[in-house]
């Protein structure tokens, strides 16, 4: 579940721990939301409801009543959301049932202020059994896989949950799992409680103090800057990207070497992203607040003609004797179809008709996890045939 307005939030820990200056830089920016965040909140509410039922915290009647209410009132509900959340909740219940005698808590407000002033968050699932504290987190996004390995958000939740329960239960091991049902992915990280506490004392507490002192430096990095509210106006980030763009090339020959081309391409994704952030920021300032930027002006973009009343237009065309003016019936896009009929039905009915064609070849960093293909591979031939 997203953290609500903690200054040093668990979800932002990766950023403020590596870039302490970001806390001050972000001051004054309003919290924003997006359809993805709202959809994620809806998915979490559905997950909580389903888990309450599956963990016997509510009866079938209450569950059905609340589920129907949720379906009718929540604009983000879809059959495929139901299927994905069923998958996630089955995972949690399977985990719970794998223990003899387990305790489960849902949507626990975890307080980690012992390490981070005013630090709190909400942990989706906490299970305690067999000397282990388990934290499970649902991520409903389908953008990038999120690893639980040394994930500071999960580790802060675990610190908070451990201090909540350590006087009631005995555990010396902590296991953290992130489940991403839409990516068919889950990742787990485990460590002794003593190591988690040492991380809290030796890494988190000093990082939080520095971040709140207002004297921490701005330290750009891709994971830190990605969600920073100051990413478009941050000088440290601009300097790093401009320095990267001013690559030190060897003197002539006039043509770039393969090494130099590789260097440009490896820097390009981050520089492109940064330019896009600066462009979006400046446009919003000019369009919404009347700001001006030296040497630039706000103009009307290109636009296409539109029909203001399609029904009326069809009527007039038919009256004028033109019959062939409608689009043929078209199938919904794959994503919308899956959403409309639900993931399971979609797979049952269309399994034989869905293929995943070869992807467009891309030149990426060696560190990328995808396997290398050669220019003579069948994937490239398949792509050319497409
Ligand atoms: S943009 Fe990056 S470097 Fe700048 S404050 Fe934000 S996280 Fe730090």
């Amino acid at each position: 579940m997203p953290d609500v307005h903690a200054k040093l939030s668990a979800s932002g820990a990766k950023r403020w721990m590596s870039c302490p200056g970001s806390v001050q830089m972000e001051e004054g920016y309003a919290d924003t939301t997006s359809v993805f965040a709202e959809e994620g909140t809806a998915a979490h509410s559905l997950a909580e409801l389903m888990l309450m039922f599956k963990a016997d915290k509510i009866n079938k009647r209450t569950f059905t009543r609340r589920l129907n209410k949720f379906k009718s009132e929540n604009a983000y509900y879809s059959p495929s959301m139901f299927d994905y959340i069923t998958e996630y909740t089955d995972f949690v219940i399977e985990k719970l049932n794998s223990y003899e005698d387990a305790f489960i808590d849902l949507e626990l407000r975890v307080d980690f202020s012992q390490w981070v002033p005013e630090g709190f968050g909400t942990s989706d699932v906490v299970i305690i059994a067999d000397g282990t504290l388990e934290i499970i987190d649902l991520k409903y996004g389908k953008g990038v896989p999120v690893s639980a390995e040394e994930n500071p958000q999960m580790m802060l939740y675990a610190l908070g949950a451990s201090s909540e329960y350590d006087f009631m239960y005995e555990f010396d091991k902590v296991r953290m799992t992130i489940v991403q049902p839409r990516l068919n992915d889950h990742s787990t990280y485990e460590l002794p409680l003593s190591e988690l506490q040492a991380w809290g004392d030796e890494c988190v507490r000093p990082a939080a103090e520095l971040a709140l002192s207002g004297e921490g430096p701005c330290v750009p990095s891709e994971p830190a800057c990605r969600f920073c509210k100051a990413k478009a106006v941050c000088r440290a980030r601009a300097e790093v990207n401009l320095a990267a763009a001013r690559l030190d090339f060897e003197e002539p020959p006039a043509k770039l070497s393969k090494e130099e081309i590789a260097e440009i391409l490896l820097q390009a994704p981050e520089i492109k992203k940064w330019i896009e952030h600066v462009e979006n920021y400046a446009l919003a300032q000019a369009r919404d607040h009347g700001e001006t930027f030296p040497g630039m002006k706000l103009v009307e973009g290109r636009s296409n003609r539109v029909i203001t009343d399609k029904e009326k237009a069809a009527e007039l065309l038919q009256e004028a004797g033109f019959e062939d003016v409608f689009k043929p019936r078209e199938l919904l896009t794959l994503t919308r179809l899956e959403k409309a009929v639900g993931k399971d039905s979609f797979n049952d009915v269309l399994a034989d008709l869905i293929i995943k064609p070869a992807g467009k070849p891309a030149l990426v960093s060696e560190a990328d996890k995808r396997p290398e293909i050669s220019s003579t591979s069948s994937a490239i031939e398949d792509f050319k045939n497409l």
Side-chain angles (χ1 to χ4, degrees):
M1 186 74 181
D3 302 305
V4 189
H5 309 307
K7 192 163 187 181
L8 297 185
S9 67
S11 57
K14 200 170 233 174
R15 176 181 46 72
W16 59 256
M17 284 185 72
S18 64
C19 176
S22 64
V23 175
Q24 213 180 15
M25 289 287 284
E26 282 201 329
E27 264 169 24
Y29 287 92
D31 284 327
T32 53
T33 188
S34 65
V35 288
F36 304 112
E38 285 167 9
E39 186 182 45
T41 304
H44 275 86
S45 303
L46 181 60
E48 184 186 6
L49 178 61
M50 288 172 85
L51 282 173
M52 280 167 71
F53 173 57
K54 291 182 181 184
D56 293 328
K57 289 179 185 282
I58 54 172
N59 62 28
K60 175 112 197 213
R61 208 163 143 220
T62 308
F63 171 67
T64 310
R65 182 172 43 79
R66 289 200 202 163
L67 180 63
N68 288 338
K69 187 168 185 295
F70 180 85
K71 283 182 183 176
S72 63
E73 290 179 0
N74 202 302
Y76 290 99
Y77 176 82
S78 69
S80 75
M81 178 182 278
F82 186 85
D83 290 344
Y84 283 123
I85 298 305
T86 299
E87 235 171 75
Y88 161 70
T89 50
D90 284 350
F91 175 91
V92 173
I93 296 302
E94 206 174 295
K95 186 74 86 176
L96 181 69
N97 292 340
S98 68
Y99 296 109
E100 278 279 293
D101 184 20
F103 164 84
I104 182 166
D105 207 347
L106 305 173
E107 295 294 312
L108 173 71
R109 189 185 194 276
V110 283
D111 180 336
F112 45 87
S113 57
Q114 206 178 319
W115 297 271
V116 178
E118 296 176 29
F120 69 90
T122 309
S123 175
D124 297 337
V125 176
V126 177
I127 296 174
I128 305 173
D130 289 355
T132 303
L133 171 79
E134 292 238 16
I135 303 286
I136 305 176
D137 201 44
L138 164 69
K139 300 257 182 245
Y140 195 64
K142 57 173 183 175
V144 282
V146 183
S147 171
E149 182 91 17
E150 296 187 6
N151 183 306
Q153 178 182 15
M154 296 300 285
M155 289 167 79
L156 285 173
Y157 286 169
L159 276 177
S162 70
S163 56
E164 175 82 22
Y165 286 117
D166 64 353
F167 65 97
M168 286 163 70
Y169 298 96
E170 292 224 334
F171 48 86
D172 55 14
K173 202 164 55 179
V174 178
R175 188 178 299 132
M176 293 152 280
T177 302
I178 290 176
V179 184
Q180 287 180 281
R182 289 164 94 192
L183 291 178
N184 197 18
D185 186 59
H186 74 268
S187 130
T188 297
Y189 176 55
E190 189 179 298
L191 80 172
L193 177 64
S194 55
E195 273 183 35
L196 179 75
Q197 286 168 335
W199 173 78
D201 295 341
E202 290 159 25
C203 301
V204 178
R205 193 174 288 129
E209 279 166 13
L210 182 61
L212 289 175
S213 71
E215 284 166 17
C218 291
V219 185
S221 67
E222 196 279 325
C225 300
R226 193 189 308 159
F227 297 114
C228 179
K229 291 178 191 153
K231 61 180 179 266
V233 295
C234 172
R235 182 174 298 279
R237 187 181 186 215
E239 279 170 359
V240 165
N241 282 311
L242 288 170
R246 278 194 298 267
L247 295 167
D248 279 335
F249 291 139
E250 298 288 322
E251 284 306 302
K255 284 187 182 170
L256 293 173
S257 67
K258 279 199 280 188
E259 287 72 20
E260 287 167 333
I261 289 174
E263 211 174 328
I264 294 169
L265 294 177
L266 288 168
Q267 307 281 1
E270 184 52 26
I271 297 176
K272 277 195 227 169
K273 241 184 276 165
W274 167 63
I275 291 173
E276 191 188 317
H277 292 152
V278 177
E279 277 178 345
N280 291 344
Y281 167 82
L283 175 63
Q285 291 298 308
R287 183 192 56 212
D288 305 338
H289 305 289
E291 292 280 347
T292 54
F293 294 88
M296 305 195 80
K297 64 182 177 183
L298 193 64
V299 296
E300 224 180 75
R302 293 181 204 291
S303 73
N304 294 322
R305 293 176 303 164
V306 288
I307 298 175
T308 53
D309 184 341
K310 287 190 178 168
E311 274 179 31
K312 183 79 190 161
E315 207 181 293
L316 291 174
L317 284 163
Q318 283 174 317
E319 273 172 23
F322 299 102
E323 285 301 325
D324 200 13
V325 293
F326 293 99
K327 250 192 197 173
R329 274 181 74 193
E330 222 180 283
L331 202 59
L332 293 174
T333 61
L334 205 139
T335 309
R336 289 180 63 194
L337 261 181
E338 193 188 50
K339 206 168 177 183
V341 304
K343 179 174 151 279
D344 292 345
S345 308
F346 177 84
N347 289 338
D348 288 347
V349 180
L350 295 181
D352 293 341
L353 294 177
I354 305 293
I355 56 153
K356 196 166 182 303
K360 189 174 170 183
L363 197 56
V364 299
S365 156
E366 267 175 355
D368 193 285
K369 290 203 176 90
R370 286 167 287 183
E372 186 167 14
I373 54 173
S374 79
S375 59
T376 54
S377 79
S378 55
I380 291 195
E381 284 312 310
D382 288 352
F383 177 76
K384 283 180 187 160
N385 293 337
L386 279 178

